[in-house]
């Protein structure tokens, strides 16, 4: 299968996943197919995993052009929608392994918050992890990835398209870190 066929097949499978459907207080209402959840403007659950290396650089990656939301944007977190049968932590571990090939690391939970933007209504849980090994990128979702100093990432977001939902998670993490609430890496 060529690259465009692989991307289309992945997108179709992704749109058909059963996603946790929740209310405004993050109470589970059931599950819905991802595309239905998005099209009907209902609330789902999402995870964000900020991956740092041991010197404190943040992994940023560029999303594929076939993504339904924010195609081609840069992202400061691995992550995605929580499937119907998963906890936030289970989803975070699955997404980190799928997107960046990172597994067996400690995931530190940092925040739980609501995010809303055009085409996206989510209850979110943010995590962080530390990894110095190789990255194995999921070609259907990630075009490229690199570790950058956080200051450089904060500069880049002013002139490159970055996903606003993961930027919200990063911003909350950095504010908590400044207050001594989040672990400083």
């Amino acid at each position: 299968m060529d690259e465009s066929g692989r991307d289309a097949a992945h997108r179709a499978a992704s749109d058909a996943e059963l996603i946790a459907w929740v209310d405004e207080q993050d109470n589970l209402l059931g599950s819905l197919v991802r595309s239905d959840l998005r099209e009907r403007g209902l609330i789902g659950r999402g995870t964000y995993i900020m991956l740092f290396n041991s010197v404190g650089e943040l992994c940023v990656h560029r999303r594929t052009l076939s993504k339904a939301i924010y195609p081609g944007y840069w992202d400061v977190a691995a992550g995605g929608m929580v499937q119907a049968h998963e906890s936030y932590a289970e989803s975070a571990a699955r997404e980190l392994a799928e997107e960046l090939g990172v597994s067996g690391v400690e995931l530190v939970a940092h925040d739980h918050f609501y995010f809303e933007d055009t085409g996206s209504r989510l209850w979110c849980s943010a995590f962080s992890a530390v990894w110095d090994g190789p990255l194995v990128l999921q070609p259907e979702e990630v075009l490229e990835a690199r570790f950058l100093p956080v200051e450089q990432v904060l500069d880049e977001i002013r002139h490159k398209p970055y996903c606003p939902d993961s930027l919200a998670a990063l911003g909350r993490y950095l504010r908590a870190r400044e207050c001594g609430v989040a672990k400083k890496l």
Side-chain angles (χ1 to χ4, degrees):
M1 181 180 305
D2 69 359
E3 186 175 330
S4 63
R6 183 183 66 221
D7 288 348
H10 180 74
R11 170 80 183 272
S14 177
D15 282 349
E17 288 177 334
L18 282 176
I19 302 301
W21 168 37
V22 297
D23 66 14
E24 288 81 5
Q25 289 75 44
D26 196 20
N27 297 306
L28 187 63
L29 299 174
S31 62
L32 287 173
V33 172
R34 179 192 307 251
S35 59
D36 287 347
L37 190 78
R38 188 173 53 243
E39 289 165 12
R40 294 171 57 190
L42 300 173
I43 304 170
R45 288 179 173 165
T47 56
Y48 300 86
I49 309 94
M50 292 162 284
L51 184 65
F52 295 90
N53 61 22
S54 60
V55 295
E57 295 173 323
L58 177 62
C59 181
V60 298
H61 67 274
R62 188 162 174 246
R63 296 161 61 91
T64 59
L65 299 175
S66 63
K67 297 291 285 179
I69 297 178
Y70 313 127
Y73 278 48
W74 286 91
D75 209 334
V76 297
M81 301 296 289
V82 177
Q83 294 181 356
H85 64 280
E86 292 178 310
S87 68
Y88 281 106
E90 290 167 336
S91 174
R94 176 182 55 76
E95 291 285 358
L96 186 58
E98 285 177 3
E99 291 182 11
L100 300 176
V102 176
S103 59
V105 296
E106 178 186 7
L107 291 174
V108 178
H110 291 289
D111 205 351
H112 186 74
F113 62 98
Y114 180 77
F115 177 84
E116 186 170 337
D117 191 22
T118 304
S120 186
R121 297 178 71 202
L122 298 170
W123 270 101
C124 311
S125 279
F127 300 82
S128 68
V130 177
W131 177 258
D132 287 315
L135 299 176
V136 180
L137 308 182
Q138 182 181 25
E140 299 86 1
E141 296 203 21
V142 180
L143 289 173
E144 59 183 298
R146 63 185 190 269
F147 284 92
L148 297 174
V150 173
E151 298 76 24
Q152 185 175 343
V153 175
L154 296 176
D155 181 56
E156 277 194 4
I157 66 175
R158 295 193 316 245
H159 56 85
K160 284 185 177 180
Y162 270 82
C163 297
D165 52 348
S166 64
L167 287 179
L170 177 63
R172 294 171 71 93
Y173 168 80
L174 292 174
R175 285 190 295 281
R177 190 174 79 175
E178 287 173 9
C179 297
V181 178
K183 178 180 169 186
K184 185 157 181 137
L185 300 169

